[in-house]
Amino acid sequence: MKNISILGSTGSIGTQTLDVVRNNKEKFNILGLSANNNIDLLEKQIEEFHPIAVAVMNEEKAIELKKRLGGKKTEVLHGIKGLISIATLSQVHLVVTSVVGMIGLIPTLEAIKNKKDIALANKETLVTAGKIVMEEAKKNNVAILPVDSEHSAIFQCLKGYNLKDIKRIILTASGGPFRGLHRSDLENVSVKEALKHPKWNMGRKISIDSATLMNKGLEVIEAKWLFDVDLEQIDVVVHPQSIIHSMVEYKDSSILAQMGHPDMRVPIQFALTYPDRVKRDEKKLDFFELGSLTFEKPDLDTFPCLNLAYEALKIGGSLPTVLNAANEVLVELFLQEKIGFYHIPKGIQKAMEKHDVIHNLDVHKIIEIDHATREFVKNLL
């Protein structure tokens, strides 16, 4: 039986991970859970899965949860220290990192240093500190198992092949809720419209990232570190049906694709059960019902965030950290209806232009740059 901790158990990926565990009770044991402040759902998860410890980022909510649990054995922790404790529980084999944002970096690194395998759903960890994280994983003989559908697809297409044989990686994108529209159509879009993803059921932040195509930009940076490829080897193709989750082209021009219904529980389960595959009772993919699969070039004029991510990766160093930090602040402001849709790429571009890139980075410097960028963007607006 595999012992698991889930960082971000009340979010979209976290709850779907627990769905997978629920359907494979004989294979998994939940030892640790964490939430930001949704203690109502976390309390229900504690009742069902009986973890030995949980963490709540909000200290007041943690105190309230502890009172609710009364004499139950589950230990309640709080803050970043609590998150680290959940990630480093001695009996845990695998840590699912599904918290949203930069907050996931330190707990993930600490889990790796404690030789825990990582099921990675937190893009920001590799976007901001990819080199450091992958080197630490290699040093500690830790597996980084991608949970994103696109990176899971690539990971599956690479099994049994030499990374040196890769010609290019082809990341597919649904195009988000605004595919086919132009700048003039999007100047005054609402938060509600931006949250309506046509294919995937996701959290609010990642839904906005999908609407701006920043999500795909972050995935490009993540792919560079996960699969040790250059920017020139990564292409993005808009595939609105979301049936092909990504592809790998080899040096002999053969292309392998991983396909399936758009359901995040498939890549989650693969990461949890790897290297095994476990049966799932789901509707089979009917090619006759699909009829056709289509592909388009991404519209970089309408969706400049993808171009900004390309630029950040090309220059490298601390610039991806700036890109990510600015995006996190601006997306949150958009969700609060304090700024418009195109303020997001404009603010990111200004933050990148004002930043003096540093190439010799450690974690402390990355966190410092992250904080400084957030302050810059807030002051800018």
Side-chain angles (χ1 to χ4, degrees):
M1 185 172 282
K2 191 177 287 186
N3 293 333
I4 295 175
S5 277
I6 304 174
L7 307 185
S9 65
T10 59
S12 175
I13 296 296
T15 54
Q16 290 179 88
T17 300
L18 289 174
D19 280 344
V20 172
V21 171
R22 199 174 282 118
N23 292 325
N24 296 276
K25 291 180 180 178
E26 74 287 356
K27 294 183 179 297
F28 305 116
N29 184 32
I30 298 295
L31 294 189
L33 299 171
S34 86
N36 187 23
N37 56 26
N38 187 353
I39 60 172
D40 293 335
L41 180 52
L42 184 58
E43 184 179 9
K44 291 176 183 177
Q45 293 173 349
I46 293 168
E47 291 286 343
E48 181 177 1
F49 294 100
H50 310 290
I52 62 173
V54 298
V56 183
M57 284 302 295
N58 184 305
E59 185 176 1
E60 290 182 4
K61 293 283 187 178
I63 293 169
E64 183 183 340
L65 178 63
K66 194 170 185 177
K67 289 178 181 177
R68 288 191 195 180
L69 295 178
K72 285 190 172 65
K73 294 182 179 179
T74 299
E75 184 180 8
V76 180
L77 307 167
H78 71 268
I80 189 67
K81 289 183 178 179
L83 210 57
I84 292 170
S85 295
I86 298 302
T88 58
L89 290 170
S90 61
Q91 308 98 312
V92 162
H93 305 121
L94 177 74
V95 179
V96 180
T97 61
S98 59
V99 291
V100 177
M102 177 73 172
I103 194 72
L105 173 59
I106 299 300
T108 302
L109 270 174
E110 289 302 314
I112 292 170
K113 289 175 182 177
N114 281 269
K115 303 188 185 304
K116 314 297 183 186
D117 287 337
I118 306 295
L120 185 68
N122 175 255
K123 292 180 177 65
E124 294 81 4
T125 291
L126 290 186
V127 169
T128 59
K131 186 174 187 290
I132 294 169
V133 171
M134 297 308 290
E135 286 178 351
E136 199 67 44
K138 185 177 181 180
K139 184 171 78 174
N140 287 283
N141 196 28
V142 163
I144 306 291
L145 303 164
V147 168
D148 277 349
S149 61
E150 295 83 359
H151 298 102
S152 177
I154 295 162
F155 183 67
Q156 293 178 60
C157 290
L158 286 171
K159 299 319 292 174
Y161 290 92
N162 193 322
L163 289 176
K164 292 179 181 178
D165 291 334
I166 297 174
K167 186 175 181 180
R168 62 175 173 148
I169 283 170
I170 305 165
L171 290 169
T172 56
S174 69
F178 302 136
R179 182 180 69 87
L181 300 181
H182 301 287
R183 272 183 175 267
S184 57
D185 303 314
L186 301 180
E187 290 290 348
N188 298 305
V189 295
S190 68
V191 171
K192 186 177 180 181
E193 290 170 318
L195 288 171
K196 286 183 179 178
H197 196 280
K199 291 292 180 181
W200 297 96
N201 179 22
M202 306 181 293
R204 286 165 62 83
K205 195 265 183 182
I206 193 172
S207 293
I208 302 303
D209 282 347
S210 181
T212 65
L213 285 198
M214 177 56 86
N215 191 47
K216 206 53 50 181
L218 298 178
E219 287 175 6
V220 167
I221 300 172
E222 193 177 5
K224 184 262 184 296
W225 295 112
L226 276 173
F227 308 114
D228 193 22
V229 291
D230 297 325
L231 173 60
E232 294 74 21
Q233 292 176 278
I234 307 171
D235 286 347
V236 173
V237 174
V238 175
H239 169 51
Q241 294 82 17
S242 296
I243 296 298
I244 294 177
H245 299 302
S246 277
M247 298 171 269
V248 176
E249 182 178 8
Y250 289 92
K251 63 185 181 183
D252 63 356
S253 296
S254 295
I255 295 178
L256 300 187
Q258 189 267 333
M259 307 171 70
H261 289 296
D263 183 345
M264 277 306 301
R265 285 167 294 190
V266 175
I268 291 170
Q269 180 172 293
F270 185 72
L272 265 57
T273 63
Y274 180 80
D276 299 324
R277 290 187 184 270
V278 176
K279 183 180 178 182
R280 298 184 74 248
D281 294 322
E282 300 293 331
K283 178 185 174 183
K284 70 177 183 180
L285 189 62
D286 188 333
F287 288 95
F288 300 107
E289 186 179 293
L290 284 174
S292 64
L293 302 177
T294 61
F295 306 92
E296 306 163 6
K297 288 183 178 181
D299 182 349
L300 299 179
D301 180 60
T302 304
F303 303 102
C305 281
L306 180 53
N307 241 350
L308 291 169
Y310 285 145
E311 182 184 346
L313 179 55
K314 185 177 181 179
I315 295 171
S318 54
L319 204 55
T321 298
V322 173
L323 172 95
N324 179 74
N327 182 63
E328 283 191 33
V329 172
L330 291 158
V331 167
E332 182 57 34
L333 290 170
F334 176 71
L335 285 167
Q336 295 171 4
E337 301 183 341
K338 293 180 178 179
I339 61 171
F341 186 75
Y342 276 113
H343 284 110
I344 297 174
K346 288 175 183 176
I348 295 169
Q349 184 171 3
K350 287 181 180 178
M352 289 172 62
E353 288 171 349
K354 291 291 184 181
H355 178 66
D356 292 324
V357 177
I358 300 169
H359 286 280
N360 294 321
L361 292 166
D362 58 23
V363 172
H364 298 296
K365 179 58 70 174
I366 288 170
I367 293 171
E368 181 183 308
I369 291 167
D370 175 84
H371 289 165
T373 302
R374 291 170 192 270
E375 288 305 309
F376 172 82
V377 173
K378 290 173 185 175
N379 292 333
L380 184 69
L381 297 171

